[in-house]
């Protein structure tokens, strides 16, 4: 509203100040002019009384004195002469309201007594009629035996006062009008640059840091505009510096292999990078909770750690195991001066380090274990033949058959190790072709229908094919799928089921092999893609078929060669799910 603006406040302030000054000045001027007119009238009447006194002194003829007095006096006043014989003569007057003065009234009002004590009288009082207020002056006659009184009505003074009041109020009105004009002009001149600064400030809040305020004057307001423009430049500089620092920090956090989570005191996740999000997803899956992008609350399992950090104001190191992966979390408090405003958690996946350590320890033992059995059998049966323990030809043939099978087993082991080494070295060439997905998968699943029927297991294919074809090496991919489906059937009990889910859209081919088998222990999940890992030792259903422990390692290398991803999720006695994702557009 108008009076809430700077223009209104400044204009109203100036107007009130000038009005107050004019009010005080008007009162003083009215009082001054009233006193001035009264004193002027009294002086004129005293002058008239003095002239009459001179006439009394120079002439003895009362008629002459009366005639001369009528001529020299003001028409608006009357003159009363009290002679020594108590005779009172009163002149005529132009005002009919002025009554005659009588000696008895003069004595009653004690004017004669006052005249004896003073040289003159100046008073305002009611005349004998009691209705008319008048000014009266008096002086003694030259012989001090009588008195001369001159009086006139105050109406004359009131008329003069009214005229003077009109003039003063007219001048005050003109002054107020000019003040209003001046106040609006001045306030507009002052506030116009301020309004431009306000608009520029709004532009700054919208991020328009190039906005400048025009410098129209060289006074304090001009200096303020200059300082505002300098502030805008400095603000732009600092905002750009902060933006660059934020982008740099965001790039650093995003490129970190470790997970980073920034938290406030309430447990809200403010900043997270991709490794941290994968950790949170695994934590939600472990606790059967759905992942929501809108839920930015820290999981309850980590809130206790946050409370320890805030209350103790110290960093806390904590280890967490999820889905067979080992995570180490270091949570450190964040300070706002001396107040803990939150915490930052750095999460490192230690699975690979521990896997490499375990692999280093177990590799020689695994190879030795895998080779020891066939070598021992070869050595034992060959010694039996050499020592002629096998007497008949049938026994020798049986021993030879066993030696042949063990040599084939050793050959398969060596070949698989060579294939795996060749894949890891990048020497394996893929024969990529454009393959129709649905017929390809149906053919592979059909191969296991007999094995599934024999084990009383239901196997089925479910698919959502948007794009009909995909590019991959059909032989290598068949090797992967056969290995996964075969494992799923072998480790699923009777009346169980194995389902192959396929989804091929415009971005990727996704294949999931899910079973209802015994599941994989959580501690073994990180190592199932490693060499010589055998699912049989933890979830074996039967001993009809034993592998070398290299199938899943080879499968992972084949998927890696296709620039894809293979993942596993499993729970004991609930089943296992392997998921393969092959992108259609692959980076070189």
């Amino acid at each position: 509203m108008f009076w809430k603006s700077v223009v209104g406040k400044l204009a109203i302030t100036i107007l009130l100040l000038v009005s107050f000054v004019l009010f005080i000045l008007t009162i003083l001027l009215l009082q001054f002019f009233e006193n001035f007119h009264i004193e002027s009238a009294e002086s004129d009447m005293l002058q008239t009384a003095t002239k009459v006194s001179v006439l009394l002194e120079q002439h003895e003829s009362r008629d002459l004195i009366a005639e001369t007095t009528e001529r020299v006096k003001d028409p608006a006043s009357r003159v009363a002469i009290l002679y020594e014989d108590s005779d009172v003569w009163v002149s005529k007057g132009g005002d009919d309201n002025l009554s005659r003065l009588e000696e008895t009234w003069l004595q009653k009002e004690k004017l004669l007594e006052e005249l004896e004590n003073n040289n003159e009288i100046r008073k305002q009082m009611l005349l004998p009629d009691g209705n008319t207020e008048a000014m009266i002056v008096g002086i003694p006659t030259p012989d001090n035996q009588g008195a001369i009184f001159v009086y006139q009505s105050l109406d004359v003074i009131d008329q003069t006062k009214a005229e003077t009041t009109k003039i003063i109020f007219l001048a005050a009105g003109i002054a107020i009008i000019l003040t209003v004009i001046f106040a609006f002009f001045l306030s507009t001149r002052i506030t116009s640059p301020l309004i431009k600064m306000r608009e520029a400030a709004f532009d700054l809040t919208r991020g328009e840091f190039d906005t400048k305020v025009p410098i129209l004057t060289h006074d304090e307001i001009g200096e303020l505009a200059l300082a505002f423009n300098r502030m805008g430049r400095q603000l732009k500089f600092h905002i750009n510096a902060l933006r660059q620092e934020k982008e740099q920090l965001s790039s650093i956090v995003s490129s970190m292999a470790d997970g980073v989570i920034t938290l406030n005191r309430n447990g809200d996740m403010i900043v997270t990078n991709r490794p941290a999000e994968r950790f949170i997803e695994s934590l939600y899956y472990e606790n059967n909770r759905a992942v929501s992008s809108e839920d930015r609350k820290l999981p309850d399992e980590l809130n206790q750690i946050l409370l320890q950090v805030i209350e103790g104001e110290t960093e806390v190191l904590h280890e967490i195991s999820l889905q067979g992966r080992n995570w180490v979390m270091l949570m450190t408090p964040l300070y706002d001066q001396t107040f803990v405003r939150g915490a930052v958690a750095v999460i490192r996946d230690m699975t690979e380090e521990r896997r490499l350590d375990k692999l280093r320890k177990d590799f020689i033992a695994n190879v030795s274990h895998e080779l020891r059995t066939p070598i021992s059998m070869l050595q034992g049966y060959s010694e039996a033949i050499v020592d002629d323990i096998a007497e008949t030809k049938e026994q020798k043939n049986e021993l030879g058959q066993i030696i042949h099978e063990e040599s084939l087993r050793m050959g398969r082991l060596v070949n698989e190790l060579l294939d795996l080494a060749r894949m890891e070295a990048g020497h394996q060439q893929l024969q990529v072709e454009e393959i129709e997905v649905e017929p390809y998968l149906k053919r592979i699943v059909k191969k296991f229908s007999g094995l599934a029927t024999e084990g009383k297991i239901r196997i089925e294919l479910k698919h959502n094919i948007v794009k009909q074809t995909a590019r991959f090496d059909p032989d290598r991919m068949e090797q992967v799928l056969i290995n996964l489906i075969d494992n799923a059937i072998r480790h699923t009990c009777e009346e169980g089921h194995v389902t192959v889910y396929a989804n091929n859209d415009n971005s990727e081919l996704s294949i999931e092999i899910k079973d209802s088998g015994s599941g994989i222990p959580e501690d073994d999940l990180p190592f199932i893609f490693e060499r010589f890992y055998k699912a049989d030792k933890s979830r074996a259903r039967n001993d009809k078929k034993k592998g070398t422990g290299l199938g899943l390692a080879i499968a992972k290398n084949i998927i890696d060669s296709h620039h894809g991803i293979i993942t596993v999720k499993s729970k004991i006695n609930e089943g296992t799910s392997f998921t393969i994702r092959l992108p259609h557009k692959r980076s070189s």
Side-chain angles (χ1 to χ4, degrees):
M1 303 179 77
F2 172 73
W3 56 83
K4 291 184 179 180
S5 63
V6 177
V7 177
K9 290 178 180 178
L10 186 59
I12 291 174
T13 301
I14 295 174
L15 183 60
L16 291 177
L17 178 62
V18 173
S19 300
F20 177 75
V21 172
L22 288 177
F23 175 73
I24 299 298
L25 185 61
T26 300
I27 294 176
L28 295 176
L29 286 176
L30 289 176
Q31 189 65 34
F32 169 75
F33 280 113
E34 181 179 3
N35 295 334
F36 174 77
H37 290 308
I38 291 175
E39 290 178 0
S40 178
E42 289 177 348
S43 298
D44 290 341
M45 289 190 293
L46 281 175
Q47 188 176 5
T48 301
T50 302
K51 291 179 181 179
V52 173
S53 175
V54 172
L55 287 175
L56 290 175
E57 185 180 5
Q58 294 179 356
H59 302 281
E60 296 181 357
S61 175
R62 294 186 178 182
D63 294 335
L64 179 60
I65 292 172
E67 183 181 354
T68 304
T69 299
E70 290 286 356
R71 291 180 179 179
V72 299
K73 75 176 183 64
D74 191 329
S77 61
R78 299 186 73 173
V79 179
I81 301 174
L82 177 62
Y83 292 99
E84 65 273 8
D85 55 2
S86 299
D87 186 18
V88 178
W89 176 84
V90 179
S91 66
K92 299 177 181 179
D95 191 352
D96 296 336
N97 294 327
L98 293 174
S99 59
R100 290 174 54 84
L101 298 182
E102 301 293 340
E103 182 181 5
T104 56
W105 181 81
L106 294 173
Q107 291 177 353
K108 179 181 178 183
E109 298 294 333
K110 298 181 180 181
L111 295 178
L112 296 178
E113 295 181 5
E114 293 181 12
L115 194 59
E116 291 177 357
N117 298 327
N118 300 287
N119 292 327
E120 60 183 28
I121 294 175
R122 295 188 181 191
K123 298 189 72 175
Q124 298 178 17
M125 56 191 306
L126 293 175
L127 293 178
D129 57 7
N131 297 323
T132 305
E133 188 177 6
M135 292 186 304
I136 184 169
V137 298
I139 60 174
T141 57
D143 55 5
N144 292 326
Q145 297 298 319
I148 304 171
F149 295 96
V150 180
Y151 61 98
Q152 71 177 17
S153 175
L154 285 177
D155 292 340
V156 178
I157 300 300
D158 291 339
Q159 292 176 0
T160 305
K161 179 181 176 182
E163 294 296 330
T164 303
T165 302
K166 290 180 181 180
I167 295 174
I168 291 176
F169 278 115
L170 179 61
I174 295 173
I176 289 176
I177 294 174
L178 293 177
T179 301
V180 171
I181 297 174
F182 169 75
F184 275 99
F185 173 76
L186 178 62
S187 59
T188 302
R189 287 292 302 274
I190 293 175
T191 56
S192 178
L194 297 179
I195 292 174
K196 289 184 173 60
M197 292 182 193
R198 181 190 65 183
E199 295 174 351
F202 287 150
D203 292 339
L204 288 181
T205 59
R206 292 190 293 267
E208 300 176 6
F209 298 109
D210 294 328
T211 303
K212 291 186 178 181
V213 178
I215 303 174
L216 303 177
T217 60
H218 299 284
D219 52 8
E220 290 81 357
I221 295 179
E223 293 177 357
L224 178 61
L226 182 63
F228 186 91
N229 293 335
R230 186 179 295 114
M231 179 195 69
R233 292 193 298 270
Q234 291 295 323
L235 187 61
K236 179 181 180 181
F237 172 77
H238 291 300
I239 290 294
N240 289 333
L242 288 175
R243 184 183 293 111
Q244 293 175 1
E245 184 176 353
K246 181 179 178 181
E247 292 175 354
Q248 182 180 1
L249 181 61
S250 178
S251 299
I252 292 174
V253 171
S254 299
S255 61
M256 287 179 63
D258 295 337
V260 178
I261 304 176
T262 303
L263 309 164
N264 59 15
R265 290 180 64 92
N266 298 325
D268 297 323
M269 295 185 290
I270 301 174
V271 177
T272 58
N273 61 355
R274 185 54 190 161
E277 291 174 358
R278 287 197 296 267
F279 169 75
I280 298 297
E281 290 174 1
S282 299
L283 187 61
Y284 280 1
Y285 179 81
E286 181 74 14
N287 293 277
N288 296 321
R289 292 174 56 187
V291 180
S292 174
S293 59
E294 298 179 357
D295 185 9
R296 302 295 294 175
K297 279 289 185 181
L298 189 68
D300 297 336
E301 295 79 3
L302 305 182
N303 263 330
Q304 296 299 325
I305 304 175
L306 177 62
L307 291 177
Q308 294 179 23
V309 172
I310 294 176
E311 294 174 358
E313 296 187 7
T314 182
E315 62 183 24
V316 175
L317 184 65
H318 189 75
E319 291 193 15
I320 303 172
S321 295
L322 294 173
Q323 290 290 297
R325 305 193 71 83
N326 296 314
W327 305 83
V328 176
M329 173 183 288
L330 179 63
M331 191 174 292
T332 307
L334 293 176
Y335 290 93
D336 185 0
Q337 295 181 353
T338 59
F339 176 73
V340 178
R341 61 181 177 85
V344 58
V346 179
I347 305 167
R348 173 167 291 183
D349 186 356
M350 300 295 293
T351 308
E352 185 67 19
E353 287 81 353
R354 295 182 181 179
R355 181 190 66 81
L356 293 176
D357 186 62
K358 188 176 186 300
L359 181 63
R360 179 180 59 83
K361 294 178 181 179
D362 295 344
F363 179 73
I364 296 177
N366 288 332
V367 172
S368 300
H369 175 75
E370 293 295 330
L371 292 177
R372 182 179 59 187
T373 299
I375 290 176
S376 298
M377 295 182 70
L378 287 174
Q379 182 180 354
Y381 288 120
S382 61
E383 288 178 353
I385 295 175
V386 172
D387 295 339
D388 290 329
I389 295 176
E391 297 178 354
T392 64
K393 184 178 180 181
E394 289 78 8
Q395 290 177 340
K396 292 181 179 180
N397 290 336
E398 183 179 354
L399 294 178
Q401 182 65 30
I402 294 174
I403 292 173
H404 178 69
E405 290 177 355
E406 292 301 323
S407 64
L408 291 177
R409 180 181 173 190
M410 289 181 61
R412 287 197 307 270
L413 176 61
V414 173
N415 289 331
E416 288 182 353
L417 280 173
L418 290 175
D419 288 342
L420 187 59
R422 192 180 299 111
M423 291 178 186
E424 291 179 348
H427 298 156
Q428 184 70 35
Q429 298 295 326
L430 298 178
Q431 303 298 323
V432 179
E433 302 176 14
E434 192 80 21
I435 305 299
E436 292 189 8
V437 176
E438 184 177 352
Y440 178 81
L441 294 177
K442 286 183 177 179
R443 178 175 59 82
I444 294 176
V445 172
K446 189 176 181 180
K447 288 182 179 182
F448 292 92
S449 59
L451 181 62
T453 302
E454 179 183 351
K456 298 180 181 180
I457 298 171
R458 185 177 75 256
I459 183 171
E460 58 182 334
L461 171 65
K462 295 182 179 180
H463 55 78
N464 178 26
I465 306 299
V466 177
K467 184 178 180 181
Q468 298 299 321
T469 62
R471 289 183 59 80
F472 53 83
D473 186 330
D475 295 334
R476 289 297 182 180
M477 189 58 61
E478 182 175 351
Q479 182 181 354
V480 172
L481 295 176
I482 287 176
N483 184 284
L484 295 178
I485 298 174
D486 181 66
N487 285 341
I489 293 175
R490 285 194 297 112
H491 299 294
T492 301
C493 298
E494 293 182 358
E495 305 303 329
H497 62 84
V498 174
T499 307
V500 179
Y501 297 92
N503 181 60
N504 189 32
D505 54 24
N506 293 323
S507 60
E508 67 177 11
L509 169 62
S510 174
I511 303 174
E512 180 181 8
I513 295 91
K514 186 174 183 181
D515 64 62
S516 59
S518 57
I520 302 174
E522 184 176 330
D523 294 338
D524 291 335
L525 279 176
F527 310 108
I528 62 171
F529 293 112
E530 301 302 329
R531 301 165 178 170
F532 303 111
Y533 172 82
K534 290 188 179 181
D536 303 71
K537 67 181 180 182
S538 60
R539 53 175 197 152
R541 174 177 170 251
N542 53 55
D543 294 329
K544 294 180 179 178
K545 182 178 180 181
K546 294 182 179 179
T548 62
L550 297 174
L552 291 178
I554 295 174
K556 185 177 186 306
N557 277 275
I558 292 174
I559 298 302
D560 291 342
S561 300
H562 284 81
H563 303 282
I565 299 173
I566 181 170
T567 59
V568 59
K569 293 180 181 179
S570 181
K571 288 185 179 180
I572 294 296
N573 299 323
E574 292 186 16
T576 304
S577 172
F578 284 88
T579 302
I580 300 171
R581 289 187 173 89
L582 299 180
H584 293 313
K585 295 182 179 179
R586 300 166 189 165
S587 57
S588 57

